[in-house]
Amino acid sequence: MNVLLVGGGGREHALAWALSASPLLTKLYCAPGNPGIAAVAELVALDVTDHAAVVDFCRKASIVLVVVGPEAPLVAGLVDDLDAAGIKAFGPTRFAAQLEGSKGFTKDLCRDFGIPTASYERFAAAEPAKAYVRAQGAPIVIKADGLAAGKGVVVAMTLDEALGAVDMMFSGDGPAIASGEDGASVVIEAFMSGEEASFFALSDGETALALATAQDHKRVGDGDTGPNTGGMGAYSPAPVMTPEMIERTMADIIRPTVAAMKAKGHPFKGVLYAGLMITSDGPKLIEYNCRFGDPEAQVLMPRLKDDLLTLLIGTVDGQLKTMSARWHDDVALTVVMAAKGYPDKPQKGTVIRGLEGLAALDQVELFHAGTALKDGELVANGGRVLNVTALGATVAEAQARAYAAVDRIDWPGGFCRRDIGWRAVARERGEPA
Ligand code: AMP
Ligand code: GLY
């Protein structure tokens, strides 16, 4: 069958890599893709915000399944428009994508259906929000509703910081606050302490199938310092997600969410990516994303034993009840190489060399994110540019293999964190993480 993958980052390269290995695949297209994806898919210059153009392309290219990588097209209703045109698409509808697109929607759903998360209130104006902050005290967490590219969350350790965050969010200088359906625009929630983990599950609207776990590194600098980013590296599995913790997450968080969305008349079909805090009371939901993680997909895909395309079609067709997903025991670890200046002002256009030898390395996979071809050379064309993924029997082994590959890359315009996996490596050594 012919498949169209929407997106062009490292996550989509990892998905394209896995899809291209499927015995069910005839031809893979990707819009817009990137030079790395071009090795396994035909790139299509489609404006994916023009849903009619996407539908038109799908008809012409006899596309049987569209796989949507990033959240923006989901929130914009691409899947609704493909559904209406009779074209199968993997990913939630616009309504169901509110699980990611609106923090207020998700918090209300958790409250209404008893899903464990931090207690919260929503506010539409600064003064009542500040009164609530004063009454609750610090630490406390202030979040803008809507997609704010990771910039809409302030974990305030002091009261002053919390009050400042409220003012910032309601001022014109704050992140673009996309307001929820009912206009409330800030969520204030209790601070949770614990270790964070990412959990992935497929949902066909009725049945949830657990996939795998991962841990991301959101800060730009070694030792988890500096500003937040989209993610500087990840590894899978997350050691904190023991089989018992996975079962609790499925029973307390994922299955109730799938049932809640069905009860609301908007079944969720696609991948649920739960950002979890593993507290002393067990797993609690920090947030949902309604797509694969980036860079988490770059560590999930190399560990997946089963056919990705079969699983995605099973999700769209409501067949997950009869399906399973098996994973290699090996650890996968990915190092994100970013353009100097990321996340504030990544420098574009610097030349990247030395990638030729990487393909021959055993247990190493290179995924492209923000790359482009210019005058026959590969150049940086975004913030996060390359992802070097390696497998190993331990986190330490995968880490050593990934950095050995990173060190072969000749890219003076780029940088990476040198400590991806530090927490898990410390654990393997028996040190406190
Ligand atoms: P979010 O965009 O909701 O995932 O929040 C971004 C980051 O803020 C999370 O990855 C956590 O590190 C932190 N965070 C969010 N909510 C809380 C909370 N209630 N307690 C502690 N940390 C939080
Ligand atoms: N790695 C964070 C995200 O995909 O949202």
Side-chain angles (χ1 to χ4, degrees), residues 103 141 143 153 155 189-192 196 218 286-287:
K103 292 187 190 298
V141 181
K143 300 185 175 185
V153 177
V155 180
E189 65 177 47
F191 173 80
M192 299 185 284
E196 283 184 55
K218 288 209 168 94
I286 299 173
E287 63 159 2

Side-chain angles (χ1 to χ4, degrees), residues 11 100 216 218 230-231 273 287 289 291-296 384:
R11 164 185 47 215
E100 172 161 2
D216 191 5
K218 288 209 168 94
Y273 158 7
E287 63 159 2
N289 296 303
R291 34 105 193 147
F292 282 102
D294 187 346
E296 288 90 335
R384 295 187 293 171

Side-chain angles (χ1 to χ4, degrees), residues 28-55:
L28 181 63
Y29 295 89
C30 186
N34 65 38
I37 296 174
V40 291
E42 181 175 324
L43 305 190
V44 201
L46 261 180
D47 173 6
V48 298
T49 64
D50 181 350
H51 298 180
V54 178
V55 167

Side-chain angles (χ1 to χ4, degrees), residues 232-319:
M232 294 300 292
Y235 53 92
S236 172
V240 69
M241 293 303 287
T242 57
E244 186 224 339
M245 215 48 91
I246 290 175
E247 192 34 51
R248 282 183 74 175
T249 304
M250 287 299 286
D252 298 348
I253 299 177
I254 303 293
R255 286 190 205 108
T257 300
V258 171
M261 294 302 289
K262 188 183 165 202
K264 279 177 167 292
H266 292 278
F268 184 94
K269 288 189 171 200
V271 60
L272 276 173
Y273 158 7
L276 302 175
M277 189 70 84
I278 309 305
T279 71
S280 49
D281 298 337
K284 292 194 178 174
L285 184 72
I286 299 173
E287 63 159 2
Y288 268 128
N289 296 303
C290 61
R291 34 105 193 147
F292 282 102
D294 187 346
E296 288 90 335
Q298 293 88 308
V299 289
L300 255 53
M301 292 306 126
R303 294 189 55 234
L304 179 60
K305 277 189 192 169
D306 288 302
D307 178 40
L308 177 67
L309 186 48
T310 304
L311 286 165
L312 301 189
I313 291 172
T315 303
V316 177
D317 287 347
Q319 297 296 318

Side-chain angles (χ1 to χ4, degrees), residues 60-75:
K60 285 198 181 112
S62 306
I63 299 295
V64 173
L65 180 73
V66 178
V67 178
V68 182
E71 61 277 19
L74 298 167
V75 171

Side-chain angles (χ1 to χ4, degrees), residues 165-190:
V166 171
D167 281 332
M168 182 269 288
M169 299 231 180
F170 282 105
S171 77
D173 308 333
I177 296 176
S179 65
E181 301 272 284
D182 60 0
S185 53
V186 161
V187 172
I188 301 183
E189 65 177 47

